[in-house]
Amino acid sequence: MLSINDLRASIEGKEILKGINLEVKPGEVHAIMGPNGSGKSTLASVLAGREEYEVTGGNVVFDGKDILELAPEERAAEGIFLAFQYPVEIPGVTTINFLKTAVNEIRKYRGEVPLDAAQFLKMVREKAKLVSMNDSLLKRALNEGFSGGEKKRNEIFQMAVLEPKLAILDETDSGLDIDALRIVAEGVNSLRSPERATIVVTHYQRLLDYIVPDYVHVLYKGRIVKSGPKELAFELEEKGYDWIKAEVEAVG
Amino acid sequence: MSTETIDLKTRLITDFYAREAVLNGEASSEYHQKKREGLARFEKLGFPTIRHEEWKYSNVKDLISVSYDFNAESSIGLAELEDLKVPAQEANILYFVNGRYNAGLSTIISPVEKITISSLAEAYKNDPARVSSYFNELTKDADDAFTALNTAFTQDGVFIHIPDNQQVEHPIILRFVSDAREQNVGSQPRNIISVGKNSHVKLAEAFRTLGEQRSFTNVVTEIHVAEEANVQYYKVQNESDNAYHVGTTQVRMLDRSHFYAGTVTLNGKFTRNNLNIVLDGERCDAHMYGLYFPDGSQHVDNHTVADHQKPNSESNELYKGILRDKSKGVFNGKIFVRPDAQKTNAFQSCKNIVLSPDATMNTKPQLEIYADDVKCSHGTTTGQIDEEALFYMRSRGISRPEAMSLLMFAFCADVVSQIKIDSVRDYLENVITQKLASK
């Protein structure tokens, strides 16, 4: 489904990703872990098409298409979704109106007829239940004045509405208390299916108690330096990242 | 269109005396004497240049370089109104074509035995003493050439007189249409609105142009707001790319009254709006909202004044603009707090999005505070569209242009939502949506 080959990217002339290789198949959950500044969020941003980053090498093939050629909105329409670490507040645009526009723009891209208001509302109500999203939040301006937990829940709610093939969760656990974490994780898990894949970017193992990954990768200095089964996450939680750093420096 | 340079000032003064010569006995009336004073003031002031502090960023050279027919006849009928896509609504609707009232196109549905809604010319015919006493009362000290010019040439406009304790159920819509299909046309409407104690009214002035020739509108509106009255006043300009507009709205508020102004400039070559509110009462509140969207080489200048003369009153102001291409915007907001006006609250904010490197916005807040126990604040921002918000929306599948429109519409929303005449707000939402989608 997703194939990242020797991906290199830089910002303001500084190389952050130094040759990433990753294969993600339908149905899989991959966790990307690593110390601060290792390039985790950069990877998530480059996949979603954030324009501040310059891709300097490699390619990313998603369902047979080189997505690096596509605009962010085209990637979304192809089925990639990024749950933001810091969801943006947009005054004056209600969550519901925002999502309706998004759903119908994506449908247009795919050559489908737009949903009418009734169909859309019915679908949205169902999805809102998944993440215990209150109706009143939907009518408020997007993320404006939302608590940290509400913002993250809103990300997962949007994900549920857009039904992406590949969801990338960028530090979705940051700033969440344990109850909010559980709700968000339940939302993510309810969307797991054999056709969909998830990349969970996180600093801590905590979220992975709830969203259990098939593979764990450690990103360090812009490269994936270690990959393993879910137990690797426990090891990192127990021992921290220093032993990984030491291993890399020893080889390096 | 004539490009020959003319001396508009001299031509106007000559016109004045030509008109006066055929007035006979009327020339000695109080009404005409006030006009004469207007002319004298205009003659003394002359058209402003950019050396004038109030006109520093707005050059009227182009505006006064051609002549205009101030008496142009017009055959405008219902078909032309269709072309202008004027929304239908249940309201008092008064049409002024090239500055003169058109009874055939107009509809007045409020009970005229209770409130006076008529053309100024007719009101003067019926009750010269009453009209004369109101005429130019609020603007008599205005040190502004265009206001003086309007005073000198006042012929028509609206005269609204609402006695005490009236709830005017239906809004009053004043539609000013410049018929510039055949020639350069000028109009100088004067509107006089007096709202009695504890009376409520919503009114709007809408300015449109037919045709491609130049139009020059020089409008003055005087609004008297008595104790405890509540007035919602909107000015909507959607004129042609060849329309020049200078306007002054002068408001005087008495104790515990409420005044709301919404000034929206959708289109026009050159626009200068002066909105001057004198809070001459205690515990009154004035609200000023503005929105402008110049593109091409359009110029929009909003000058506002909140003049606090008595204690315990509040003024609140929010102006917003989106500037494209090579357009220019000017905002000058003055707040005066006079020595007696203790416990004044005055807030002012002007926010702009400049979408092109060739567009410019000049903002100037001006606070003059002579009382010591007051709360005043002002702020201006001028920036680009929020790229982070744009990326967020695009990452959800919304195309860049669509995301831009949504963001800009949202930017306008807190001004548009203040418009309390439904049909006017709906109209604005439609035109703004189209405008934002077109680029």
Side-chain angles (χ1 to χ4, degrees), chain A residues 49-51 71-73 76 81-82 84 88 90-93 98 101-102 105-106 142-143 155 158, chain B residues 386-403 406-407 409-411 413:
Chain A
R50 194 185 278 277
E51 284 163 347
E73 55 269 36
F81 180 92
L82 172 66
F84 279 51
V88 183
I90 304 186
V93 180
F98 168 70
T101 309
E105 287 259 294
I106 289 175
L142 187 57
N143 293 326
E155 293 295 284
Q158 292 176 34
Chain B
D386 180 353
E387 284 295 328
E388 188 61 23
L390 211 49
F391 175 65
Y392 187 65
M393 301 178 96
R394 295 176 73 192
S395 79
R396 300 297 182 254
I398 301 174
S399 67
R400 192 183 165 90
E402 184 67 27
L406 269 177
L407 286 175
F409 194 84
F411 176 78

Side-chain angles (χ1 to χ4, degrees), chain B residues 115-116 160-164 166 168 172 194-197 199-201:
Chain B
I115 64 174
T116 308
I160 299 171
H161 188 271
I162 302 167
D164 298 348
Q166 297 294 322
V168 182
I172 303 170
S194 162
V195 184
K197 286 178 194 169
S199 286
H200 293 231
V201 67

Side-chain angles (χ1 to χ4, degrees), chain B residues 9-166:
Chain B
K9 182 185 171 188
T10 308
R11 204 170 275 204
L12 285 162
I13 292 168
T14 311
D15 277 1
F16 182 88
Y17 289 115
R19 285 185 191 203
E20 188 178 59
V22 295
L23 280 178
N24 300 325
E26 175 60 20
S28 60
S29 68
E30 185 192 351
Y31 199 42
H32 187 71
Q33 288 311 309
K34 286 189 171 185
K35 295 182 188 183
R36 276 198 132 170
E37 286 161 23
L39 187 81
R41 190 169 283 226
F42 169 68
E43 202 165 355
K44 195 178 117 221
L45 293 166
F47 285 112
T49 69
I50 54 169
R51 287 191 299 277
H52 193 300
E53 189 56 32
E54 297 298 318
W55 293 87
K56 199 171 165 185
Y57 300 108
S58 295
N59 197 337
V60 300
K61 206 172 136 215
D62 197 26
L63 158 64
I64 61 173
S65 66
V66 302
S67 61
Y68 304 88
D69 186 341
F70 286 92
N71 297 297
E73 295 296 328
S74 169
S75 60
I76 179 174
L78 290 170
E80 283 78 9
L81 298 186
E82 294 262 309
D83 290 348
L84 287 173
K85 295 190 171 58
V86 167
Q89 63 200 122
E90 202 184 355
N92 298 288
I93 300 174
L94 285 82
Y95 274 93
F96 298 86
V97 180
N98 293 342
R100 276 187 305 278
Y101 181 60
N102 184 320
L105 295 173
S106 303
T107 321
I108 295 172
I109 56 177
S110 284
V112 285
E113 63 282 3
K114 277 194 198 155
I115 64 174
T116 308
I117 305 175
S118 77
S119 76
L120 184 67
E122 195 185 303
Y124 182 72
K125 214 184 292 168
N126 295 339
D127 192 345
R130 180 159 81 161
V131 171
S132 301
S133 70
Y134 277 110
F135 173 52
N136 209 35
E137 254 329 272
L138 301 183
T139 39
K140 64 182 176 220
D141 298 322
D143 200 17
D144 174 65
F146 287 96
T147 303
L149 182 65
N150 176 290
T151 303
F153 283 89
T154 292
Q155 278 190 296
D156 213 349
V158 78
F159 184 83
I160 299 171
H161 188 271
I162 302 167
D164 298 348
N165 303 311
Q166 297 294 322

